[in-house]
Amino acid sequence: MSVLFCDSDCELWYDVVEKLGIQYFKMPYTIDGVETFYDFGKTTDIKGFYARVREGAMPITSALNPDMYESVIEPIFARGEDILYVAFGRTYSATFDQLDTALKKLKEKYPDRKLTLFDTKMISVPSGIQVRYAAELKQKGATDEEIIDFLKDFTNHVGAYIAVDSLMHLYRGGRLSKSKAILGGILGLKPILTFDEQGRLKVIEKIGGKKRVARFLAEQVIENARKLAKYDIYVIDADNEEGAQMVVDIIKKSLPDANIVRQPIGPIIGTHCGPGTLAVVYYADGRVIPLEK
């Protein structure tokens, strides 16, 4: 018997996590010198977070230490259960090295127990949508092997496009050179990113103007979203409800029967993408990685 785990970097909303009975690792962020462990928005002042960033606050994220992982994992191992962990991409954080250290120590005490990690190769809701549908299968009685087989296919159908409002946040995170960030700011260009096959973020387009950005994101969904009766479309934003609503309105005109889930981008991912970010996440025929323009 196993327990399904995720981490709060997958950014599902707390009511979904609670409804599906998912246990999780709370990932930390620090702003104004205060460290907080994100709980999927249940106790988070997300608008307040973005207000501080707009005022000049410089949030940071950090890895969990091995002791923190042990404190969560050991009680489960002690009662004779294993863990199936559907995780955000390993390429995004050194926290998985700390997890490995914790597991090595726990293995000495619980040699028959195991933690199986499925790397979604994504982060935020593109990872979270994989967690959600894995958890729904778990509730229906699927085995770990059946869930992993499902995820191996499903992860290749996750369409995700992210429009970042400020290029300087990408520069701070090492995703863009300083010269490109400055030039983009002058030109008013918004980079559009997606995930490549290795789980890395790739800038594939640069667009000027809020309406053009909203239309580009919506068109990716309209052209590529499939199985609308089975899988929801997510439109998420970092304190950009006006832009998100534009995206929703355009999608609804072409796909009136689609179920669209709206939710905010949390502080951990918001630390790196910055306020104003918009994104769409959906089930597609296959993950197509366009060439960078």
Side-chain angles (χ1 to χ4, degrees), residues 267-279:
I268 296 178
I269 311 306
T271 292
H272 301 287
C273 69
T277 297
L278 288 173

PDB file of all heavy atoms in Angstrom, residues 267-279:
ATOM      1  N   PRO A 267       3.189  32.082  -4.593  1.00  0.00           N
ATOM      2  CA  PRO A 267       4.405  32.858  -4.346  1.00  0.00           C
ATOM      3  C   PRO A 267       5.698  32.171  -4.755  1.00  0.00           C
ATOM      4  O   PRO A 267       6.655  32.858  -5.137  1.00  0.00           O
ATOM      5  CB  PRO A 267       4.367  33.085  -2.831  1.00  0.00           C
ATOM      6  CG  PRO A 267       2.943  32.966  -2.451  1.00  0.00           C
ATOM      7  CD  PRO A 267       2.390  31.921  -3.368  1.00  0.00           C
ATOM      8  N   ILE A 268       5.775  30.841  -4.651  1.00  0.00           N
ATOM      9  CA  ILE A 268       7.040  30.178  -4.985  1.00  0.00           C
ATOM     10  C   ILE A 268       7.343  30.349  -6.468  1.00  0.00           C
ATOM     11  O   ILE A 268       8.426  30.798  -6.856  1.00  0.00           O
ATOM     12  CB  ILE A 268       6.996  28.694  -4.601  1.00  0.00           C
ATOM     13  CG1 ILE A 268       6.844  28.547  -3.085  1.00  0.00           C
ATOM     14  CG2 ILE A 268       8.270  27.990  -5.064  1.00  0.00           C
ATOM     15  CD1 ILE A 268       6.739  27.121  -2.612  1.00  0.00           C
ATOM     16  N   ILE A 269       6.387  30.015  -7.315  1.00  0.00           N
ATOM     17  CA  ILE A 269       6.601  30.187  -8.746  1.00  0.00           C
ATOM     18  C   ILE A 269       6.590  31.672  -9.089  1.00  0.00           C
ATOM     19  O   ILE A 269       7.341  32.125  -9.956  1.00  0.00           O
ATOM     20  CB  ILE A 269       5.531  29.430  -9.556  1.00  0.00           C
ATOM     21  CG1 ILE A 269       5.395  27.994  -9.058  1.00  0.00           C
ATOM     22  CG2 ILE A 269       5.852  29.463 -11.043  1.00  0.00           C
ATOM     23  CD1 ILE A 269       6.694  27.217  -9.016  1.00  0.00           C
ATOM     24  N   GLY A 270       5.766  32.434  -8.392  1.00  0.00           N
ATOM     25  CA  GLY A 270       5.715  33.878  -8.618  1.00  0.00           C
ATOM     26  C   GLY A 270       7.027  34.578  -8.331  1.00  0.00           C
ATOM     27  O   GLY A 270       7.319  35.626  -8.910  1.00  0.00           O
ATOM     28  N   THR A 271       7.833  34.013  -7.442  1.00  0.00           N
ATOM     29  CA  THR A 271       9.159  34.564  -7.166  1.00  0.00           C
ATOM     30  C   THR A 271      10.001  34.611  -8.441  1.00  0.00           C
ATOM     31  O   THR A 271      10.768  35.546  -8.667  1.00  0.00           O
ATOM     32  CB  THR A 271       9.879  33.710  -6.108  1.00  0.00           C
ATOM     33  OG1 THR A 271       9.205  33.869  -4.857  1.00  0.00           O
ATOM     34  CG2 THR A 271      11.335  34.115  -5.941  1.00  0.00           C
ATOM     35  N   HIS A 272       9.838  33.613  -9.293  1.00  0.00           N
ATOM     36  CA  HIS A 272      10.680  33.488 -10.484  1.00  0.00           C
ATOM     37  C   HIS A 272      10.043  34.071 -11.746  1.00  0.00           C
ATOM     38  O   HIS A 272      10.765  34.532 -12.632  1.00  0.00           O
ATOM     39  CB  HIS A 272      11.031  32.022 -10.701  1.00  0.00           C
ATOM     40  CG  HIS A 272      11.756  31.413  -9.546  1.00  0.00           C
ATOM     41  ND1 HIS A 272      13.064  31.702  -9.265  1.00  0.00           N
ATOM     42  CD2 HIS A 272      11.340  30.570  -8.569  1.00  0.00           C
ATOM     43  CE1 HIS A 272      13.447  31.037  -8.181  1.00  0.00           C
ATOM     44  NE2 HIS A 272      12.408  30.348  -7.736  1.00  0.00           N
ATOM     45  N   CYS A 273       8.717  34.042 -11.833  1.00  0.00           N
ATOM     46  CA  CYS A 273       8.081  34.580 -13.041  1.00  0.00           C
ATOM     47  C   CYS A 273       7.646  36.028 -12.872  1.00  0.00           C
ATOM     48  O   CYS A 273       7.534  36.758 -13.855  1.00  0.00           O
ATOM     49  CB  CYS A 273       6.904  33.711 -13.470  1.00  0.00           C
ATOM     50  SG  CYS A 273       5.477  33.755 -12.343  1.00  0.00           S
ATOM     51  N   GLY A 274       7.376  36.450 -11.623  1.00  0.00           N
ATOM     52  CA  GLY A 274       7.009  37.825 -11.362  1.00  0.00           C
ATOM     53  C   GLY A 274       5.535  38.119 -11.575  1.00  0.00           C
ATOM     54  O   GLY A 274       4.820  37.356 -12.239  1.00  0.00           O
ATOM     55  N   PRO A 275       5.048  39.234 -10.998  1.00  0.00           N
ATOM     56  CA  PRO A 275       3.638  39.612 -11.168  1.00  0.00           C
ATOM     57  C   PRO A 275       3.329  39.924 -12.623  1.00  0.00           C
ATOM     58  O   PRO A 275       4.184  40.349 -13.389  1.00  0.00           O
ATOM     59  CB  PRO A 275       3.502  40.856 -10.274  1.00  0.00           C
ATOM     60  CG  PRO A 275       4.892  41.383 -10.119  1.00  0.00           C
ATOM     61  CD  PRO A 275       5.798  40.202 -10.171  1.00  0.00           C
ATOM     62  N   GLY A 276       2.058  39.699 -12.978  1.00  0.00           N
ATOM     63  CA  GLY A 276       1.616  39.961 -14.340  1.00  0.00           C
ATOM     64  C   GLY A 276       1.657  38.758 -15.248  1.00  0.00           C
ATOM     65  O   GLY A 276       1.136  38.791 -16.367  1.00  0.00           O
ATOM     66  N   THR A 277       2.266  37.674 -14.801  1.00  0.00           N
ATOM     67  CA  THR A 277       2.394  36.472 -15.625  1.00  0.00           C
ATOM     68  C   THR A 277       1.035  35.843 -15.908  1.00  0.00           C
ATOM     69  O   THR A 277       0.153  35.830 -15.054  1.00  0.00           O
ATOM     70  CB  THR A 277       3.313  35.449 -14.929  1.00  0.00           C
ATOM     71  OG1 THR A 277       4.620  36.009 -14.800  1.00  0.00           O
ATOM     72  CG2 THR A 277       3.394  34.148 -15.703  1.00  0.00           C
ATOM     73  N   LEU A 278       0.889  35.316 -17.110  1.00  0.00           N
ATOM     74  CA  LEU A 278      -0.301  34.564 -17.519  1.00  0.00           C
ATOM     75  C   LEU A 278       0.140  33.212 -18.059  1.00  0.00           C
ATOM     76  O   LEU A 278       1.218  33.095 -18.650  1.00  0.00           O
ATOM     77  CB  LEU A 278      -1.054  35.290 -18.643  1.00  0.00           C
ATOM     78  CG  LEU A 278      -1.818  36.569 -18.322  1.00  0.00           C
ATOM     79  CD1 LEU A 278      -2.331  37.181 -19.628  1.00  0.00           C
ATOM     80  CD2 LEU A 278      -2.987  36.264 -17.399  1.00  0.00           C
ATOM     81  N   ALA A 279      -0.691  32.188 -17.888  1.00  0.00           N
ATOM     82  CA  ALA A 279      -0.360  30.879 -18.446  1.00  0.00           C
ATOM     83  C   ALA A 279      -1.622  30.090 -18.741  1.00  0.00           C
ATOM     84  O   ALA A 279      -2.658  30.272 -18.094  1.00  0.00           O
ATOM     85  CB  ALA A 279       0.539  30.095 -17.490  1.00  0.00           C
TER      86      ALA A 279
END
